[in-house]
Amino acid sequence: MTEAASQSQFTPRVFSGIKPSGGLTLGNYLGAIKRFVEMQGPDFETLYCVVDLHAITVWQDPAELRTATREVAASYLASGIDPEKSILFNQSQVSQHAELGWIFNCVARVGWMNRMTQFKEKAGKNAEKQSLGLYAYPSLMAADILLYHATHVPVGEDQKQHVELTRDIAAKFNHDYKTEFFPLTTPVIEGPAMRVMNLRDGTKKMSKSGESDMERINMLDDADTIAKKFRKARTDPEALPDTLDGLKERPEARNLVDIYAALSDQSPEAVITEYAGAGWGQFKPALADLAVEKLAPISSEMQRLLDDPAEIDRILARGSERARAIAAPILERTYEIVGLVR
Ligand code: AMP
Ligand code: TRP
């Protein structure tokens, strides 16, 4: 069977997730959450998860983990994920994730895991001291996706390799058990913000865990902080060119143009055309104003939601119930295929 033919038997379904491991950044918003909202609609069934079991692959203080979990849920809701249209839940309430994760630990090969660049980057020279969970994490991520037979996964660039591994796991499972049970999921990595860079070093990704707060915009930053961070963002002395080609060797400048484009739903080409010849004294304040205009309503709605954690917990519990209704029969069938007596 061709891949296209084998894919068409699956309901178009989107799954994606964010780890509750510290504050959310503009990278999470533009590279993930904003795109999750855009995929909500008649074309797909959508599931959005707070992947708490992934967060604990590195140490998390229990109280902070609870807060961070509700904060990610609040960011989904405040950005426009509708818990009626999408299934919004946290991973640990659907025990099938961990169960399918174990099956996939027995499908994935050690050699495949050794090629995962994110583990190498995070572990650095201290690989021996990392948790076994951090190493096995991509196999749990494959379980998150395949537990729902998800056909599409919107993620930032940094997750591409993990979605490819998910396809490898699905293909090996299907091959070993002579079945077409799991789909070969498509990563959806598009738009100008698939890799938002650090504001102090345009060659590094903007992340929750970078050393200095000045290198990232947090979704909960206030207007003055956002303006200050963009004002102090590293750039070069030159004005903006009139084509994108002129930004080739200027990673910091390119990043700010891409952020502007993503926030204003334009192409980077359109932004360059509008601002050709502009200096940073003009572009940075315009960017800061735009970011505040887009983020302020989201962060104030997040704050409002976080004042009522019980309501967030109710939404997550209800979403988990709906997620289990899809997940349970798929795990059950997987167990049968593998030969586990039920
Ligand atoms: P994480 O915070 O690592 O759980 O990431 C959650 C989602 O946000 C994933 O889809 C990431 O690819 C995306 N993401 C995180 N940081 C960035 C960034 N700097 N640029 C684009 N996407 C990002
Ligand atoms: N690994 C992803 C990250 O660090 C988070 C994640 C876990 C995820 N499971 C997923 C993303 C399933 C998409 C689909 O960003």
Side-chain angles (χ1 to χ4, degrees):
M1 205 189 267
T2 65
E3 185 185 312
S6 77
Q7 289 306 87
S8 62
Q9 73 189 67
F10 297 97
T11 316
R13 194 178 277 153
V14 167
F15 181 97
S16 198
I18 297 184
K19 293 190 298 278
S21 54
L24 290 155
T25 70
L26 184 64
N28 292 126
Y29 177 66
L30 294 176
I33 304 171
K34 183 169 186 283
R35 299 171 52 233
F36 298 175
V37 178
E38 288 160 3
M39 291 185 94
Q40 200 174 234
D43 295 343
F44 296 102
E45 212 180 312
T46 43
L47 290 105
Y48 297 121
C49 189
V50 186
V51 286
D52 45 11
L53 296 176
H54 283 273
I56 59 167
T57 54
V58 298
W59 168 252
Q60 304 293 330
D61 173 82
E64 283 169 21
L65 178 60
R66 270 187 284 272
T67 306
T69 300
R70 293 180 182 127
E71 199 173 296
V72 175
S75 76
Y76 284 157
L77 292 164
S79 303
I81 305 274
D82 176 343
E84 296 303 320
K85 290 191 189 140
S86 294
I87 299 181
L88 196 170
F89 70 109
N90 59 315
Q91 188 187 22
S92 61
Q93 293 204 64
V94 182
S95 61
Q96 286 83 359
H97 287 252
E99 293 181 70
L100 188 61
W102 178 257
I103 302 286
F104 288 167
N105 282 348
C106 301
V107 174
R109 305 290 95 181
V110 169
W112 300 0
M113 301 322 244
N114 285 341
R115 284 193 283 279
M116 294 295 114
T117 54
Q118 193 175 59
F119 178 80
K120 287 189 225 173
E121 277 163 23
K122 283 196 175 180
K125 292 195 185 77
N126 281 323
E128 301 262 317
K129 294 217 168 73
Q130 301 303 321
S131 72
L132 184 53
L134 187 67
Y135 183 70
Y137 165 126
S139 148
L140 180 60
M141 175 161 162
D144 300 337
I145 295 167
L146 295 173
L147 187 55
Y148 302 95
H149 282 179
T151 53
H152 294 79
V153 175
V155 279
E157 241 292 306
D158 61 331
Q159 295 301 315
K160 186 167 187 233
Q161 196 185 30
H162 292 159
V163 183
E164 281 162 0
L165 181 91
T166 301
R167 293 167 65 94
D168 291 343
I169 290 178
K172 181 162 165 57
F173 183 98
N174 289 347
H175 175 266
D176 290 354
Y177 292 102
K178 302 186 178 50
T179 171
E180 293 284 334
F181 188 59
F182 288 114
L184 300 181
T185 306
T186 309
V188 185
I189 303 169
E190 49 196 36
M194 48 196 199
R195 194 170 172 80
V196 176
M197 308 309 277
N198 176 324
L199 299 181
R200 312 296 291 195
D201 178 350
T203 64
K204 289 200 192 129
K205 192 184 76 157
M206 181 183 289
S207 88
K208 295 165 178 165
S209 54
E211 309 137 33
S212 156
D213 199 54
M214 289 302 287
E215 65 187 49
R216 63 181 161 261
I217 304 285
N218 303 299
M219 284 183 75
L220 289 174
D221 280 345
D222 61 32
D224 287 348
T225 308
I226 292 176
K228 183 172 92 191
K229 286 176 175 176
F230 278 125
R231 197 168 59 238
K232 300 211 163 175
R234 181 167 156 196
T235 41
D236 49 43
E238 268 151 73
L240 283 169
D242 51 13
T243 63
L244 283 183
D245 262 2
L247 291 177
K248 263 203 182 109
E249 308 293 323
R250 301 170 63 186
E252 285 86 8
R254 176 66 205 239
N255 186 41
L256 296 186
V257 168
D258 284 346
I259 292 175
Y260 192 103
L263 282 169
S264 59
D265 294 309
Q266 298 180 74
S267 65
E269 288 82 0
V271 176
I272 272 295
T273 307
E274 186 184 342
Y275 283 96
W280 295 111
Q282 183 188 347
F283 188 75
K284 281 178 166 182
L287 176 58
D289 287 348
L290 175 64
V292 170
E293 178 196 321
K294 300 289 176 179
L295 290 181
I298 298 176
S299 72
S300 63
E301 177 62 4
M302 277 175 77
Q303 303 282 13
R304 194 190 67 77
L305 291 161
L306 288 166
D307 283 342
D308 187 1
E311 175 59 13
I312 296 179
D313 294 1
R314 272 192 293 279
I315 292 171
L316 292 174
R318 170 78 189 115
S320 301
E321 213 175 283
R322 292 168 65 200
R324 273 195 299 272
I326 303 175
I330 292 180
L331 180 70
E332 208 43 47
R333 181 72 193 122
T334 309
Y335 280 168
E336 267 167 28
I337 292 170
V338 171
L340 301 167
V341 174
R342 311 306 292 151

